[in-house]
Amino acid sequence: MARTREAGPAAGSSVEVAEAEEREEIKAWYRDRLAGEAVVPGEGGPFPPATVGPTWAKSSSGGWLLPEFTIGWDAVAWASQNLVGPGGGAWTFTNEQLRFLLWYYATDENGVFLNSTVVLQRCKGWGKDPLAAVVTLVALLGPSVPRMVGGRLVGAVEADPWVRLLAVSQQQTRNTMGALKAVCPPEDRKRLNIRIGDVGVRRTDGQPGFVAAITSNPEAAEGSRATLTVCNETQNWTASNSGLAMMGVVRGDAAKSPVSRQARVLHLCNAAREGVESVGLQTREGWEAAQDGRHANFGLMYDSLEAPPDAPLSVEAAPEVIRAVRGDATWLTPDRIIQDVVDPSTPPSESRRKWYNQTVAAEDSWLSRQEWDSCCDTELPALDPADELCVFFDGGKSDDATALVGCRVTDGAVFALGLWQRPPGARGRGWVAPRDQVDARVREVVSQYRVVGLWADPSHTMDDESMEQFWDAVVDGWHRDLGRRLRLKASSAHSVRWDMADPSHTKLFVHAVQRVTSDVLQGALLHDGDARLRMHVLHAKRAPTKWGLSIRKEHRESKKKIDLAVCMVGSRMMREMYLNRTARRGRGKVW
C-alpha cells in the first residue's frame, strides 16, 4: 500500500479527499498483486487440491478469474484503511482472502448480489474468525451494499445495518468477539465511534446499527431483520444443540427479507462429518445437488480448497498435502500439524476433516462419499423400456422409509425408482406409507420395463384397522397379477415375497453387501448420482455378523434412513442370481 493509515491525509488536502485518494491507491496495490499467472498451491504435484468455488478458479488467459461487477474493491480498501492486522499495522488481505471477498461482494450488472448465501470452508487454523470480523465491521460501518451512481457500481454504507453472529457454543462466540476486538483495538473503536462488548457491538454516535452475538437460541434469532448473518462453524450445528432449528430461522428470515435490503448469510466452516446430520453437511449436499442439476440453483456460493480423495494420511505425504490445502495461510506449519496427525488418539477421519478439509465418513460408516461418488457416471444412459431390470422393494409403515430400486441387468447400474418416507416436523405427524401410490408405482415400473424379478421385503408391522401385516395384501396382489411375467422368482411358493428375517435370506444379503462393497471400491458399480440413494448409502453403518459385514441404521430410532441402500444391495444380489441362472442354461454370460 502506498501510505499507511498512521501517515494521515496528504498536506493541503481535506481529510475526505485524502482518504478517497488513499483508498484508490490501496485498490491499485491489490490489483497489482492479482496480476500475472494464477498458480494453485500443489498444482502439478502428486496430490493437487480440489478447488470448489471461484476463489481458486482461473480465467481462460491463465490469470485469476475475477468477477466483472463487484463492490469488493471498495470493501477491501475500507478494511485496509481502518482495521488492524495481526502484526499491528494496517490490515492486509492475503491474495486468497482478497479473491474470496471480490466474489463474496460480486453483483450482476444491476447491482444485485450474485449470491445471497456464501459458504467459506477451509481447514482448521486458516483464519476464518478474523476474516469474519472484518466482514462484520464492513457490514456495520463500511461500503457493504451495492449502489448505482451515475451508471457506475459503487459500495455504499448500509442505512440501518443489523448484523447477527450466530454460533452453537459459548467458546465460538468468544472467539468471534475476540477477533473483532483484535482487528479494531480501542483507539480505532473510538475513531469509528463503536463499543465492542462481550455479546455485540454498538454505535456510540447515535447512528443506527449494531452487531449481536447469539448462541444456540433460535427464539432470540427469530424475527430479525438482519442485513448480515454470520453462521460460524456450521459443521457443528446439529439437532442436539439447536443448530438445525437456528438455521431454519436464518433461512426463514432471509426468505422474507425485501429485495431492496439484500440480506445476506455467510457460513464459516471446516469440513463436515459424514453421517452426522449438521447444517454444514446439509448445505454441502444441497450445493452438490444443484451442481449436477438435481436441485435448482438457490443463490449459494460454495468455496473450498480440499485434499483429493486419494491423498494419503501419512507422515511422508501429509506435509505436501497440507501446504496445498492451507492455500495462502502460510502461518500453518506442516511440522506442527503432523504431530496431531500421528497422535494415536486422533481418529484418521478427524485428521482428514480438520487438516485435509475433506468431508469424510466416520470409522463405522459403510462407505465414504468419495468412494460412492467415484462410481457416479454423469453420462449413464437412462433406463429404456427394452432394459431387463431386477427390482427390489423394502416396505415400511410409518417410521422406516418405503423404497424401490432397480438394477439394470446389462451393466449392473442401479436406479432409485421410488421413495416414500415421513416428512419432517409437524407434517410427519400421523404419516403412514401411501400403499395405493406405492402399488401404482410398482405396477408402472413392471409395465414400463422388462422386469425379470420383483422381490419385496415387507414390514412386519400391522395395519391399525385390519390387524393384518401392513403390506400383505399389496405384495400378494403383485404375486397374483405380475408373477407370471417374472423369470426370477423369490421362491417356489411366492414369486415376490422375500422376507429378510429368514436366516437363509439374511446370509444371502450379508454376502451381497460384501460384494457391493468390493464393487464400489473397485469402481465396478455404476449409478447416476441420485441424491436420495446417495444419502441412504452414506447413512449406512457397518454391522458385523456371523456371516460377515452387513449394514444397519445408526440406531433403531435414527431418522437417518438406509432403505434405498438396502434395496440397492438387494437388486444387485438379484442381478447376480439371475445372470448365474441364465448362464447355467446357456442363455447369457456372467458379468
Side-chain angles (χ1 to χ4, degrees), residues 445-461:
V445 168
V446 174
S447 66
Q448 189 172 1
Y449 306 107
R450 296 172 59 198
V451 175
V452 298
L454 168 63
W455 290 8
D457 176 30
S459 169
H460 288 186
T461 55

Side-chain angles (χ1 to χ4, degrees), residues 69-72 74 104-114 142-149 152-158 259-264:
F69 304 101
T70 180
I71 62 169
D74 292 329
Y104 172 79
Y105 289 109
T107 74
D108 62 16
E109 65 275 13
N110 298 314
V112 177
F113 283 123
L114 296 183
S144 61
V145 293
R147 294 284 185 270
M148 300 301 295
V149 178
R152 188 169 69 93
L153 178 69
V154 298
V157 177
E158 173 67 56
V259 176
S260 59
R261 195 166 175 81
Q262 295 210 58
R264 310 198 71 197

Side-chain angles (χ1 to χ4, degrees), residues 5-55:
R5 185 172 63 252
E6 288 76 14
S13 302
S14 69
V15 172
E16 292 81 4
V17 171
E19 289 181 345
E21 290 177 349
E22 184 179 53
R23 285 193 292 272
E24 292 306 311
E25 292 175 359
I26 292 171
K27 294 178 192 178
W29 184 78
Y30 276 124
R31 284 193 174 95
D32 287 342
R33 283 178 48 177
L34 295 185
E37 182 182 3
V39 178
V40 177
E43 194 174 42
F47 312 112
T51 59
V52 176
T55 295

Side-chain angles (χ1 to χ4, degrees), residues 49 82 102 111 197 200 214 246 261 266 280 472 479 524 535 553 575:
N82 289 282
L102 292 178
I214 302 172
M246 196 151 63
R261 195 166 175 81
L266 173 62
D472 272 5
H479 165 68
M535 183 178 297
K553 290 198 299 183
R575 172 181 180 262

